[in-house]
């Protein structure tokens, strides 16, 4: 229901990654990684809805034949935009292996520096510039027989320009301690300072349209875990951690998102996420490993609208609990298997609206299975399935993505110094 001659999405991504590894001794090593990335995107898109009356000029009823239903296609500035985003990330890790009495320590400490710049602007698409205001290009088409080759006539002029940025300085420290052969602990802490700003201006005049907005957050997150390995073939653990979503976080990879800073959100503290997990791993036979985990992830202070003032407050809560199982390894020396499945129960625990519903994007069950067989002489074939039980596309739970199974395959010729591989995706066009 779009326009083949007018809808497009052009993406250009350039990424450079540079890494330096240095080993001072068997106990001390240093790694520095720098990544520079540029993302350019241009798009025009169409949104469609049912238009009334039908093709005969009659108001719709439950008995209206589908071949009389018309679809209106709006090709407007709301889905027309250009993006020009840059990011720079530098991370330094120092690993130190040491002893404290009889306890073995692997200490990781480091620093992360990052800077991201988002530059985005949209356009006015006007089908009749001679009239006052902006008339969005539209055209109707039959529901059962849409015409994608309809031609539109319109002008395209720049409208609003949005600029935003985010800068991070983070320091972190983690210690993995081996107390005995059977018992290990992991403790880590990360301090992060995140500065964000955003402003929107008129593209042609430079006059302010929104902002400027700015916010700085200092966040401390941590992780901890205990590992019990009673034998070489089994391991059990319990872990807990937290993380944050600051109000000024950037949507670098989204086609439409930018920093969500507004006059309200620039005064809101970060949302906090907490995760606990209980897991185990067993070796089955000579080459297979079975892993399992019970987990719970909570966003304890989600941004929601106050039911009385209608102002955003940190008062929401949502939770996902589940069980994850993984089976991976070698069935024979030439036959490998990788598989996993997760059963999840999501709930909007506290909210102004949709309380008790399932959060958007949470499937009841999702998983995958992938297998590769080596035929000999360097040849190998493989394939697998990704499946999902479906999920709600919104928190209101009135729009659902149905369950699906996607089949992929691969064939390759693998040698010691090179390989040639063909990957086939979505074989059944699901």
């Amino acid at each position: 229901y779009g326009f083949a001659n007018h809808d497009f999405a052009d993406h250009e991504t350039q990424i450079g990654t540079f890494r330096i590894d240095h080993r001072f001794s068997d106990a001390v090593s240093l790694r520095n990684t720098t990544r520079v990335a540029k993302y350019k995107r241009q798009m025009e898109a169409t949104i469609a809805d049912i238009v009334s009356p039908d093709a005969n000029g009659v108001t719709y009823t439950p008995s209206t034949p589908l071949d009389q239903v018309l679809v209106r296609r709006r090709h407007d500035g709301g889905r027309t935009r250009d993006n020009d985003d840059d990011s720079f990330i530098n991370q330094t890790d120092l690993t130190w292996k040491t002893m404290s009495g009889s306890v073995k320590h692997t200490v990781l400490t480091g620093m992360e520096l990052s800077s991201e710049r988002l530059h985005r602007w949209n356009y006015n698409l006007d089908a009749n510039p001679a009239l006052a205001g902006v008339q969005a290009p539209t055209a109707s088409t039959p529901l059962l027989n849409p015409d994608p080759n309809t031609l539109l006539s319109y002008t395209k002029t720049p409208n609003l320009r949005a600029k935003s940025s985010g800068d991070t300085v983070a320091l972190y420290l983690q210690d993995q301690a081996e107390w005995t052969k059977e018992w290990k602990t992991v403790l880590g802490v990360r301090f992060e300072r995140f500065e964000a700003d955003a402003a929107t201006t008129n593209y042609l005049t430079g006059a302010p349209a929104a902002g400027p907005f700015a916010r700085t957050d200092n966040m401390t997150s941590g992780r901890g875990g205990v590992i019990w390995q009673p034998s070489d073939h089994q391991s059990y653990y319990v872990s807990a951690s937290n993380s944050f979503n600051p109000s000024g976080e950037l949507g670098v990879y989204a086609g439409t998102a930018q920093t969500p800073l507004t006059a309200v959100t620039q005064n809101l503290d970060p949302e906090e996420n907490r995760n606990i997990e209980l897991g185990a791993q067993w070796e089955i036979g000579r080459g297979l490993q079975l892993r399992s985990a019970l987990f719970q992830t909570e966003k304890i202070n989600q941004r929601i609208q106050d039911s009385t003032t209608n102002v955003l407050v940190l008062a929401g809560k949502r939770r996902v609990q589940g069980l994850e199982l993984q089976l991976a390894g070698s069935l024979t020396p030439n036959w490998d298997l990788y598989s996993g499945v997760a059963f999840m129960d999501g709930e909007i625990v506290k909210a102004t609206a949709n309380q008790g519903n399932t959060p958007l994007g949470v499937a009841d069950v999702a998983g995958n299975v992938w297998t590769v067989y080596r035929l000999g002489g360097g040849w190998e074939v493989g394939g697998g399935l990704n499946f999902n039980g479906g999920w709600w596309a919104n928190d209101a739970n009135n729009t659902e993505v149905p369950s699906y199974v996607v089949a992929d395959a691969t064939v390759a010729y693998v040698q010691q110094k090179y390989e040639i591989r063909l990957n086939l995706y979505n074989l059944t066009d699901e």
Side-chain angles (χ1 to χ4, degrees):
Y1 298 102
F3 299 101
N5 297 292
H6 305 287
D7 290 352
F8 68 90
D10 294 336
H11 295 247
E12 179 183 307
T13 300
Q14 302 179 60
I15 299 176
T17 303
F18 311 89
R19 194 179 78 193
I20 299 174
D21 289 287
H22 181 70
R23 184 177 297 276
F24 295 96
S25 67
D26 290 340
V28 182
S29 61
L30 179 73
R31 167 175 292 182
N32 180 271
T33 304
T34 299
R35 169 165 288 184
V36 180
K38 290 182 172 293
Y39 306 90
K40 292 183 179 293
R41 285 163 289 211
Q42 295 178 316
M43 64 174 290
E44 289 186 24
T46 300
I47 191 169
D49 58 10
I50 301 298
V51 62
S52 182
D54 67 13
N56 293 323
V58 179
T59 302
Y60 290 117
T61 70
S63 61
T64 300
L66 287 180
D67 59 7
Q68 298 300 311
V69 176
L70 294 179
V71 173
R72 176 180 58 185
R73 298 168 293 175
R74 299 197 307 277
H75 189 78
D76 57 39
R79 281 151 293 281
T80 300
R81 58 181 54 86
D82 293 349
N83 299 345
D84 189 356
D85 306 332
D86 302 320
S87 68
F88 171 87
I89 302 173
N90 179 272
Q91 182 169 326
T92 302
D93 294 324
L94 178 66
T95 304
W96 177 34
K97 297 181 179 179
T98 184
M99 296 285 294
S100 174
S102 61
V103 181
K104 298 179 181 179
H105 295 271
T106 301
V107 179
L108 171 67
T109 185
M111 178 174 65
E112 179 184 325
L113 304 173
S114 70
S115 179
E116 300 173 88
R117 299 291 181 267
L118 278 60
H119 180 197
R120 305 177 179 195
W121 58 98
N122 65 3
Y123 296 84
N124 283 329
L125 305 185
D126 196 346
N128 192 347
L131 291 179
V134 178
Q135 289 73 41
T138 62
S140 297
T141 192
L143 173 71
L144 297 186
N145 188 27
D147 179 12
N149 296 308
T150 303
L151 292 177
L152 300 173
S153 176
Y154 57 90
T155 61
K156 182 178 181 179
T157 56
N159 183 22
L160 296 177
R161 169 181 283 175
K163 290 186 175 182
S164 52
S165 66
D167 297 300
T168 296
V169 177
L171 300 173
Y172 47 90
L173 173 67
Q174 176 180 284
D175 179 24
Q176 177 177 302
E178 181 177 329
W179 300 87
T180 67
K181 184 179 179 181
E182 294 81 17
W183 290 96
K184 297 182 177 69
T185 59
V186 176
L187 291 174
V189 63
R190 174 185 172 103
F191 172 79
E192 182 167 354
R193 181 180 178 86
F194 179 69
E195 299 179 357
D197 60 67
T200 302
T201 59
N202 183 288
Y203 188 95
L204 297 179
T205 67
F213 308 113
R215 178 169 178 86
T216 298
D217 287 298
N218 296 310
M219 299 165 285
T220 302
S221 56
R223 59 181 303 210
V226 178
I227 306 167
W228 178 45
Q229 296 174 304
S231 72
D232 293 337
H233 304 291
Q234 55 183 320
S235 178
Y236 307 89
Y237 71 90
V238 60
S239 67
S241 62
N242 73 325
S243 62
F244 294 93
N245 295 113
S247 297
E249 65 183 346
L250 303 183
V252 173
Y253 305 104
T256 59
Q258 57 189 50
T259 175
L261 281 181
T262 66
V264 174
T265 58
Q266 71 173 349
N267 297 316
L268 287 178
D269 290 334
E271 297 176 319
E272 184 178 357
N273 315 292
R274 295 178 181 176
N275 182 78
I276 56 174
E277 190 169 315
L278 176 66
Q281 175 178 302
W282 303 273
E283 288 192 11
I284 303 175
R286 295 169 53 186
L288 283 175
Q289 289 185 335
L290 174 63
R291 305 182 184 95
S292 66
L294 291 168
F295 63 88
Q296 174 179 284
T297 300
E298 286 186 315
K299 185 179 289 293
I300 65 170
N301 60 343
Q302 184 191 5
R303 292 185 286 268
I304 63 172
Q305 287 186 321
D306 185 274
S307 58
T308 303
T309 64
N310 222 28
V311 174
L312 279 179
V313 292
L314 294 173
K317 185 176 183 179
R318 58 183 58 201
R319 174 191 303 136
V320 177
Q321 298 173 320
L323 167 67
E324 184 180 33
L325 300 171
Q326 294 180 341
L327 181 64
S330 299
L331 298 172
T332 72
N334 293 324
W335 187 9
D336 296 337
L337 173 70
Y338 311 91
S339 62
V341 61
F343 303 92
M344 292 168 285
D345 177 37
E347 181 184 0
I348 300 175
V349 181
K350 186 178 180 181
T352 306
N354 307 314
Q355 186 167 310
N357 287 2
T358 300
L360 66 91
V362 178
D364 292 334
V365 58
N368 68 286
V369 59
W370 180 262
T371 184
V372 175
Y373 190 81
R374 289 175 288 276
L375 301 171
W379 289 96
E380 65 178 43
V381 295
L385 302 173
N386 291 284
F387 57 95
N388 192 295
W391 68 86
W392 295 109
N394 56 23
D395 286 345
N397 290 181
N398 57 24
T399 305
E400 186 176 13
V401 177
S403 61
Y404 61 86
V405 178
V406 174
D408 303 323
T410 187
V411 59
Y413 180 67
V414 181
Q415 293 299 302
Q416 183 176 0
K417 294 185 177 181
Y418 69 91
E419 71 176 62
I420 302 173
R421 180 176 300 276
L422 173 66
N423 293 322
L424 304 171
Y425 300 104
N426 197 15
L427 297 177
T428 60
D429 195 25
E430 182 67 18

